[in-house]
Amino acid sequence: MGAQLRQLRRRIKSVKSTAKITRAQELIASSRIVKAQQRMQAAVPYEREITHAVSAVLSNTTNVDHPLTVAKEQPATAGVLIVTSDRGFAGGYNANILREAEALKGHLTGRGLAVKPYVVGRKGITWHRFRSREMFGEWDGFSDNPSYANAKEIADALITAFKAEDGIDEIHVVYTGFVSMLTQNVIVKRILPLEVEEAETAPEGIPPYYEFEPTAGDVLDSLLPRYIESRIYNALLQSAASEHAARRRAMKSATDNANELIRVFTQQMNQARQAEITQEISEIVGGANALADAAAGKE
């Protein structure tokens, strides 16, 4: 019985230590998600305005044949940018992304395209290395706090590969979109060749017709890389906010489970102690009765 009590005490101590770690992770994620949301919201005006600018150029120009906007008749290769996290403790966050990436790969392969993965985040990089899968670009160390420079580096690599003669013909991105603290959805989107999302109404103050100086092609040469960078930056920011939200939710669940285990183990320990005390009392009473019977027999 004493061995059982010692074992339960060790288990309670171990679970309490785990609960402290998960609680700390939950608090850290809760504090960081606010900043991540603010950065995500702060980037919306820039993304909206550059989308309007690119839409305006494409809508008012009919003779521009830009390599970033024209889909090839017979594409042969597709690049897939997969945005995962650098750290774990986020529940099914990375598993959901990688599952959607595999589904996208199957779809592209079914179209006859060779798939080249570009991976962001140590979890995704480790996943591909473990399966001995070649990666054509990998970036890590900033999944929970990305900067515009990180997005620009990724965009430059993708655009260079897209423009290369034997490069990639399509570029898709798989990331987690932030909806709320409780809801994050995996998003699969094609970003090249360009699919500009037209605004329902033009911004105030912008006339319906344009004269371009220099030419519309030169304007697109400057605008389109910035547009791709903003798209990737938005994906990184949404992924960062989603990562913190997923980690907070997973750590809260882990803390609740640890507290429930502590309650169960404490109850079992109390029951074991009561059983041990009852057994000791029974042994004492039995010994006293035996002594009394022995004394009565001598008389």
Side-chain angles (χ1 to χ4, degrees):
M1 192 66 69
Q4 182 182 3
L5 284 173
R6 287 192 297 271
Q7 182 181 11
L8 287 171
R9 288 194 185 100
R10 284 196 297 268
R11 297 184 71 178
I12 290 174
K13 183 178 179 180
S14 175
V15 175
K16 282 184 177 179
S17 298
T18 301
K20 290 180 181 178
I21 296 172
T22 56
R23 178 59 177 168
Q25 291 284 346
E26 178 189 349
L27 294 175
I28 293 172
S30 298
S31 64
R32 290 179 177 176
I33 192 174
V34 176
K35 184 177 180 180
Q37 285 181 279
Q38 292 173 347
R39 295 185 65 201
M40 184 178 67
Q41 294 168 358
V44 170
Y46 174 79
E47 181 186 8
R48 182 176 60 245
E49 292 305 319
I50 198 168
T51 300
H52 286 319
V54 174
S55 299
V57 176
L58 294 178
S59 299
N60 290 273
T61 306
T62 58
N63 58 350
V64 174
D65 186 13
H66 199 277
L68 297 185
T69 61
V70 179
K72 294 184 179 180
E73 295 182 359
Q74 295 181 343
T77 308
V80 178
L81 178 64
I82 306 170
V83 184
T84 62
S85 68
D86 289 322
R87 299 190 299 120
F89 299 107
Y93 174 80
N94 291 299
N96 293 335
I97 296 170
L98 293 169
R99 182 169 56 249
E100 289 296 329
E102 285 294 287
L104 175 61
K105 179 182 178 182
H107 172 71
L108 295 174
T109 303
R111 290 174 48 199
L113 299 176
V115 178
K116 296 182 177 181
Y118 294 77
V119 186
V120 177
R122 294 192 188 99
K123 290 297 179 180
I125 293 172
T126 302
W127 188 89
H128 282 78
R129 285 178 179 170
F130 180 77
R131 290 162 178 78
S132 300
R133 295 189 181 182
E134 183 180 6
M135 291 175 285
F136 294 83
E138 53 185 84
W139 301 268
D140 60 14
F142 55 83
S143 71
D144 61 345
N145 188 27
S147 66
Y148 193 85
N150 301 133
K152 187 178 187 308
E153 181 182 355
I154 297 171
D156 289 344
L158 292 175
I159 293 174
T160 300
F162 186 80
K163 290 182 176 180
E165 184 176 352
D166 296 327
I168 51 182
D169 302 323
E170 294 182 2
I171 297 179
H172 302 258
V173 59
V174 183
Y175 67 98
T176 305
F178 182 87
V179 180
S180 67
M181 293 286 288
L182 298 177
T183 305
Q184 300 88 42
N185 299 323
V186 179
I187 297 175
V188 180
K189 182 183 296 184
R190 194 188 82 180
I191 59 175
L192 285 178
L194 200 62
E195 292 179 321
V196 179
E197 298 177 2
E198 296 278 359
E200 295 181 0
T201 58
E204 294 182 3
I206 296 182
Y209 300 104
Y210 296 82
E211 290 184 2
F212 298 103
E213 181 69 29
T215 65
D218 293 332
V219 174
L220 282 178
D221 284 337
S222 299
L223 280 180
L224 288 179
R226 306 291 86 76
Y227 178 82
I228 300 301
E229 291 167 10
S230 71
R231 284 297 186 188
I232 294 177
Y233 186 48
N234 176 66
L236 294 179
L237 290 177
Q238 290 208 42
S239 296
S242 300
E243 177 185 343
H244 291 309
R247 182 168 293 115
R248 175 184 176 275
R249 187 169 60 251
M251 291 299 97
K252 184 179 186 306
S253 177
T255 302
D256 293 341
N257 292 338
N259 291 333
E260 177 63 19
L261 278 176
I262 292 172
R263 186 191 67 80
V264 171
F265 290 154
T266 301
Q267 185 179 22
Q268 293 177 356
M269 186 178 68
N270 291 336
Q271 292 174 349
R273 289 176 62 188
Q274 291 173 1
E276 185 177 6
I277 292 171
T278 301
Q279 182 179 356
E280 290 177 355
I281 292 174
S282 298
E283 291 174 354
I284 293 172
V285 172
N289 289 336
L291 290 174
D293 293 341
K298 291 180 180 180
E299 293 179 354

